Amino acid sequence: MDKKIVIIPTYNEKENIEAITRKVFSLPGDFQILIIDDGSPDGTATIVKGLQTEFPDRLHLLERSGKQGLGTAYLTGFKWSLDHGYDYIFEMDADFSHNPDDLLRLYAACAEQGADLAVGSRYCHGVSVVDWPMSRIIMSYYASAYVRGILGMKVFDTTAGFVCYTRKVLETIDLDAVQMKGYGFQIEMKYTAYRLGFKISEVPIIFTNRQLGTSKMSSGIFGEAFWGVIKLRFRKIKGRQ
């Protein structure tokens, strides 16, 4: 059976972490979870450790000191997952903005339909976002349009954080060369996979704004992505030999 792991970075997600863990583990397909917690002062990691006594073989935890960035969390998780022999590696938020049921559809896009990288897309069939203010929808939608225009990549939701990678994609990308650490990381990973010739499939999802906890978005995140995309356009992309 394929080994599948869902990487969930956390910072102050005590309201969501148990519920999202139990939901993922209720799905068919024997998904495992890797929580990467950046020193949450609200005790998120303590809750995870309690759940590990119930799910000792399926729930994994890496603790880091302080907020080190979304991109570095995922890169740490990717390397850990490759070292531990996983075949399909997923990115997902802890706050239920991504519906865990859609993990099955992302997996099917790769395992059954031939994609190397499957993106849970908010924008491939119009706009599928619930409970966001219109200003944020406009900013997010046109950010993806901007990325497509600069990079020439035919992906509608370039900033999406709900993704399934096949092992061969993450083995091929030089993870140590990834430069963007905030939400620009999502763009850089997709563009690198695209430039290396991997097949990217977008799976339409409905994205729902978090109901519990606090958003981690900031203006600095968008600034990094804006300028980083321009630099990315002119960077030479190489895979690991």
Side-chain angles (χ1 to χ4, degrees):
M1 180 182 290
D2 294 327
K3 290 186 68 177
K4 303 180 287 293
I5 192 154
V6 183
I7 302 173
I8 304 179
T10 56
Y11 183 78
N12 286 351
E13 292 290 354
K14 68 177 182 180
E15 296 94 344
N16 296 301
I17 195 60
E18 179 170 355
I20 198 79
T21 297
R22 292 190 183 281
K23 175 59 180 176
V24 171
F25 288 161
S26 75
L27 299 173
D30 196 30
F31 288 89
Q32 297 187 29
I33 296 175
L34 172 62
I35 305 292
I36 302 180
D37 187 71
D38 274 6
S40 297
D42 72 345
T44 299
T46 300
I47 296 171
V48 175
K49 290 173 185 176
L51 290 167
Q52 283 183 306
T53 64
E54 186 176 347
F55 304 105
D57 299 321
R58 300 183 68 187
L59 181 58
H60 313 279
L61 172 66
L62 294 178
E63 294 183 85
R64 309 196 305 170
S65 57
K67 296 178 71 174
Q68 300 180 41
L70 182 76
T72 65
Y74 276 126
L75 290 170
T76 297
F78 292 159
K79 293 174 181 179
W80 186 95
S81 299
L82 292 175
D83 287 345
H84 288 80
Y86 290 92
D87 303 298
Y88 296 90
I89 298 99
F90 299 78
E91 298 179 359
M92 190 175 76
D93 291 348
D95 60 7
F96 284 95
S97 55
H98 303 138
N99 183 347
D101 289 334
D102 289 330
L103 289 167
L104 299 171
R105 299 171 61 228
L106 293 177
Y107 171 68
C110 290
E112 300 171 14
Q113 297 161 25
D116 299 305
L117 169 60
V119 177
S121 179
R122 299 163 291 184
Y123 304 130
C124 64
H125 289 173
V127 178
S128 299
V129 176
V130 176
D131 291 337
W132 262 11
M134 184 56 65
S135 60
R136 187 170 174 186
I137 292 174
I138 292 171
M139 181 168 56
S140 176
Y141 181 84
Y142 283 102
S144 281
Y146 163 78
V147 172
R148 289 198 306 277
I150 296 294
L151 299 181
M153 178 172 55
K154 294 179 176 62
V155 174
F156 284 94
D157 196 351
T158 55
T159 61
F162 195 19
V163 182
C164 175
Y165 291 92
T166 59
R167 180 182 182 87
K168 65 181 177 180
V169 173
L170 296 182
E171 284 181 328
T172 303
I173 291 175
D174 183 355
L175 299 177
D176 292 325
V178 175
Q179 296 183 13
M180 288 192 270
K181 306 306 181 188
Y183 277 75
F185 163 83
Q186 303 291 5
I187 301 167
E188 184 172 352
M189 287 294 296
K190 295 178 186 67
Y191 182 63
T192 302
Y194 167 76
R195 286 287 304 275
L196 291 173
F198 288 108
K199 179 182 177 182
I200 302 175
S201 175
E202 288 190 88
V203 176
I205 64 163
I206 296 175
F207 181 97
T208 304
N209 196 29
R210 69 159 64 234
Q211 302 300 309
L212 299 172
T214 304
S215 174
K216 314 305 187 298
M217 298 293 288
S218 71
S219 58
I221 285 172
F222 288 100
E224 181 212 42
F226 180 88
W227 295 111
V229 166
I230 296 174
K231 295 176 183 177
L232 191 59
R233 173 66 179 81
F234 298 101
R235 191 190 312 163
K236 187 175 183 180
I237 302 295
K238 295 189 298 182
R240 288 189 289 190
Q241 302 301 314

